[in-house]
Amino acid sequence: MTASTIVVRPAPGRKSRAIVRLGAITVPAAIGRSGRTVMKREGDGATPIASMRLISGFRRGEWNGRLVTPLSIRRILPDMLWCDQSGNASYNRLVRAPFRASHEEMRRSDGLYDICLVMDWNISSRARNRGSAIFFHLIRPGYEPTAGCVAVSLRDMRRLLPHLRKGTIVRVV
């Protein structure tokens, strides 16, 4: 059975740490280096305090791990990028290389996006400079802070994925 809401609460001690809860599953997470905010801005390093629907996901192309989830997961191709230039018509959208405007590569060498779920932050209704590429993805070693995303370990992502579907809410409180 799929769950309808993931709750992301601040963890005590560090503003860049959180606790993720989905039903009976509770796991540690990393969030933005600036903690959480209700006034999300591009590049501020904060995770938006909001309820965001899961839209879809991506996985590393050559990654062989089997993913069990009802959520639509696409393979990341080498030319996939995500536009983070606020004034560009493709702001906060998947784009293809070559692409001149500011962007981030979806096929990262650090493995953060080996599994990357897209949350509907500033996507369905975009506004300039409100933040881009707010994803639910894998952690850096030591639960280092993100640039504004929510990140969990591979083990914990595998525990969560079977319960996630399009429309599952990620509520950052």
Side-chain angles (χ1 to χ4, degrees):
M1 183 164 158
T2 56
S4 61
T5 304
I6 298 170
V7 178
V8 181
R9 296 188 183 286
R14 289 180 55 192
K15 65 183 175 183
S16 63
R17 293 283 182 92
I19 303 295
V20 169
R21 184 168 187 172
L22 177 68
I25 301 170
T26 302
V27 299
I31 58 173
R33 66 183 178 274
S34 301
R36 302 164 301 124
T37 184
V38 294
M39 297 298 293
K40 176 69 184 155
R41 306 301 291 164
E42 184 68 42
D44 65 4
T47 301
I49 296 173
S51 291
M52 301 166 276
R53 290 179 300 109
L54 287 177
I55 298 173
S56 62
F58 294 96
R59 69 170 174 84
R60 181 75 180 216
E62 67 277 9
W63 192 67
N64 292 323
R66 184 167 181 261
L67 299 180
V68 178
T69 183
L71 188 64
S72 173
I73 305 283
R74 292 172 53 190
R75 182 179 179 190
I76 297 173
L77 301 175
D79 67 343
M80 287 181 168
L81 312 170
W82 197 273
C83 178
D84 60 9
Q85 186 169 329
S86 183
N88 190 283
S90 296
Y91 178 56
N92 204 23
R93 295 276 189 266
L94 183 67
V95 293
R96 301 278 180 163
F99 186 75
R100 288 187 177 195
S102 179
H103 61 271
E104 63 176 280
E105 293 184 19
M106 295 301 293
R107 190 176 197 166
R108 297 174 61 119
S109 61
D110 60 11
L112 295 185
Y113 293 174
D114 282 7
I115 302 174
C116 175
L117 309 181
V118 180
M119 298 186 287
D120 190 5
W121 174 259
N122 202 26
I123 292 178
S124 294
S125 177
R126 285 182 299 163
R128 283 185 180 187
N129 211 32
R130 285 290 311 227
S132 62
I134 302 299
F135 300 139
F136 192 104
H137 61 72
L138 301 179
I139 60 160
R140 294 182 193 279
Y143 288 85
E144 288 182 22
T146 70
C149 300
V150 176
V152 297
S153 70
L154 175 59
R155 177 182 173 271
D156 291 336
M157 182 68 84
R158 285 179 174 275
R159 290 177 59 203
L160 295 167
L161 279 172
H163 308 286
L164 306 180
R165 60 173 163 61
K166 184 176 182 176
T168 296
I169 301 294
V170 178
R171 182 176 297 137
V172 178
V173 297

